[in-house]
Amino acid sequence: MPEDANPLSALWPLAPSGSTDWLLELCGDGLTGFMPPAMPDAVWVLNAMYEHERGPAGTSYHEYHQARLAEGSVPPHIVAGIDLEALGIATGGGLGRAGHPGPGWRRLRWAELAQRTGDPVVPDGLLPSYRCFPSVKKEDSWPLGIVPPTEGSLDRETWLRLIGILTEHSPAGPNTLCLAYYNPLMLAAADFDDLHVRTGRLGDAEILYDDAETDFSPSNLWAEDRSWCLCTDYDLWATKVAGPPALIEALLNDAEIEAVRLPWAP
């Protein structure tokens, strides 16, 4: 899409690729997102998952998908003569933007699922990802009654609440100048040299979620004064927020957001 045709451009115009230089020095490679250290504190905001009011079914996403393939209600996915459906697993998880699935579904907290199953919220030494909650899955596939967290992007509800809390804890409030970085993997025209960065007001950050050029929330969003920075890694189910202790405590104590400290990934 030409830049002048993108409705986002008026509020969040493109910024120089070099705007990320400080993150490269601080974090190293940003191919899947620049993961900041504590600044001076940090917390992991977990993507939302949902459970149907009837509870988790005994059938997994993969079993359901294979049954539909067998009955012919969905066509096989053949590429170069290879049946990809026979090789892969329908896990039930998604990649990119996500939101509340609709009537009949409720928010399922990671802590609640951990208490129910005996699995840790996040296994020691790991980051929030597809490797969490192994006992819930059947051969790596989630039960149909649970929508697992999306990967590589915040879900809409968490994004909106997070922007609200960041606004409350930024001295300039909605007028806080920010920059947003999208890693090359989430763009149709991947450019690994001229990085995709936009600049705008925190008060206008909600619209970044619906950028027509990508199906993801930004990989990184940070205040221009570098007082806080968040990173949503392309391969993870959570967003790391680094910033002052008051911001981190607000996230940990918020009724809508589910956030955890990971001592091995501060």
Side-chain angles (χ1 to χ4, degrees):
M1 175 186 295
E3 183 63 18
D4 56 4
N6 190 339
L8 195 68
S9 300
L11 294 175
W12 285 85
L14 291 174
S17 176
S19 302
T20 61
D21 286 351
W22 75 282
L23 286 171
L24 180 62
E25 295 177 7
L26 184 69
C27 314
D29 177 63
L31 177 61
T32 59
F34 293 101
M35 190 61 68
M39 299 171 51
D41 205 352
V43 74
W44 290 84
V45 172
L46 306 172
N47 287 346
M49 70 175 99
Y50 297 91
E51 184 174 52
H52 198 271
E53 58 189 13
R54 293 194 296 268
T59 302
S60 71
Y61 280 92
H62 186 67
E63 290 171 331
Y64 177 69
H65 185 63
Q66 291 299 309
R68 296 185 68 203
L69 281 170
E71 68 185 19
S73 58
V74 294
H77 188 191
I78 309 295
V79 177
I82 299 175
D83 184 0
L84 298 183
E85 303 290 359
L87 300 176
I89 299 291
T91 64
L95 178 66
R97 286 192 295 249
H100 193 289
W105 295 85
R106 69 172 186 90
R107 176 82 177 267
L108 175 61
R109 298 274 173 169
W110 292 49
E112 178 186 347
L113 188 58
Q115 184 176 27
R116 181 192 304 175
T117 63
D119 288 335
V121 172
V122 180
D124 286 356
L126 298 183
L127 298 178
S129 70
Y130 72 94
R131 299 172 71 180
C132 296
F133 300 109
S135 70
V136 177
K137 293 172 279 189
K138 184 186 297 184
E139 297 180 346
D140 293 328
S141 182
W142 283 74
L144 275 176
I146 296 178
V147 177
T150 190
E151 188 172 82
S153 173
L154 282 156
D155 58 275
R156 183 180 298 276
E157 290 77 17
T158 302
W159 168 262
L160 295 177
R161 181 57 185 150
L162 179 55
I163 293 302
I165 294 176
L166 290 170
T167 302
E168 293 170 6
H169 288 267
S170 297
N175 292 317
T176 301
L177 294 179
C178 298
L179 293 100
Y181 161 66
Y182 295 85
N183 79 64
L185 301 178
M186 59 174 58
L187 300 170
D191 190 331
F192 295 89
D193 297 315
D194 186 18
L195 300 183
H196 191 89
V197 185
R198 293 187 178 276
T199 182
R201 296 170 59 253
L202 184 56
D204 296 321
E206 290 186 2
I207 65 170
L208 290 173
Y209 199 82
D210 295 304
D211 187 348
E213 294 184 336
T214 180
D215 294 324
F216 300 78
S217 60
S219 304
N220 291 93
L221 181 73
W222 67 95
E224 186 181 51
D225 66 5
R226 305 177 187 176
S227 56
W228 53 260
C229 177
L230 65 82
C231 175
T232 306
D233 189 277
Y234 189 81
D235 295 321
L236 298 181
W237 285 0
T239 291
K240 186 177 183 181
V241 181
L247 168 62
I248 303 310
E249 288 301 319
L251 293 170
L252 285 167
N253 295 319
D254 188 70
E256 296 179 41
I257 280 181
E258 187 171 13
V260 295
R261 294 186 187 272
L262 300 180
W264 53 89

